C-alpha cells in the first residue's frame, strides 16, 4: 500500500511541476504581450505620428475630384457629404472613418 501511495504522490508531483512550468510560460507570454502593447502605444502616440494628418492617395484624389481640399486642417462635413454622395453607404462610412482617423473630420 505504501508503494502505491508513493507512486501516486510522484505522479501528482510531476503533474504539479508540469502545471507550474505551464503557468510560468503563460506569465512570460503575458509579460511579452504587455511589453509589445506598451511599445505600440508609445510608437503610435509619438507626437510626430499623432500630429500627422494624412489620408490615402485614393481618398485624397476622390475628394479633390469633387472639389474638396484635403490640405485644410479640418474639412467641412457638408462638403465631404456632398463629395461622397455618389458612393455606397459602406464606402462613405469607410472614407469618413479614414478622415476621422487622420484628424481631418470632427
Amino acid at each position: 500500500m505504501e508503494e502505491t501511495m508513493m507512486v501516486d504522490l510522484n505522479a501528482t508531483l510531476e503533474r504539479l511541476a508540469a502545471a507550474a512550468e505551464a503557468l510560468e510560460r503563460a506569465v512570460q507570454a503575458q509579460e511579452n504581450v504587455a511589453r509589445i502593447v506598451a511599445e505600440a502605444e508609445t510608437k503610435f502616440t509619438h507626437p510626430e505620428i499623432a500630429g500627422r494628418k494624412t489620408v490615402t492617395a485614393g481618398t485624397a484624389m476622390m475628394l479633390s475630384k469633387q472639389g474638396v481640399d484635403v490640405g485644410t486642417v479640418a474639412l467641412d462635413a457638408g462638403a465631404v457629404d456632398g463629395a461622397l454622395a455618389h458612393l455606397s453607404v459602406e464606402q462613405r462610412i469607410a472614407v469618413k472613418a479614414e478622415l476621422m482617423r487622420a484628424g481631418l473630420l470632427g
Side-chain angles (χ1 to χ4, degrees):
M1 178 172 266
E2 191 173 306
E3 187 176 322
T4 306
M5 201 155 141
M6 290 299 284
V7 169
D8 289 343
L9 184 59
N10 282 337
T12 302
L13 288 174
E14 288 174 4
R15 286 194 308 265
L16 284 173
E21 288 176 17
L23 182 59
E24 186 175 318
R25 285 192 305 271
V27 167
Q28 289 174 350
Q30 186 176 5
E31 289 171 352
N32 285 340
V33 169
R35 180 185 50 78
I36 291 169
V37 167
E39 288 175 7
E41 287 175 347
T42 302
K43 180 178 180 181
F44 292 113
T45 57
H46 193 274
E48 293 174 5
I49 294 173
R52 281 184 65 185
K53 298 192 182 309
T54 59
V55 293
T56 61
T59 300
M61 184 173 59
M62 188 265 311
L63 289 172
S64 66
K65 282 183 180 180
Q66 297 297 320
V68 177
D69 181 22
V70 292
T72 60
V73 174
L75 297 174
D76 178 41
V80 172
D81 288 336
L84 302 179
H86 68 285
L87 298 176
S88 70
V89 173
E90 292 85 9
Q91 291 172 324
R92 280 184 268 176
I93 291 171
V95 170
K96 284 184 178 182
E98 184 177 338
L99 292 171
M100 288 171 58
R101 273 194 302 273
L104 296 174
L105 186 64

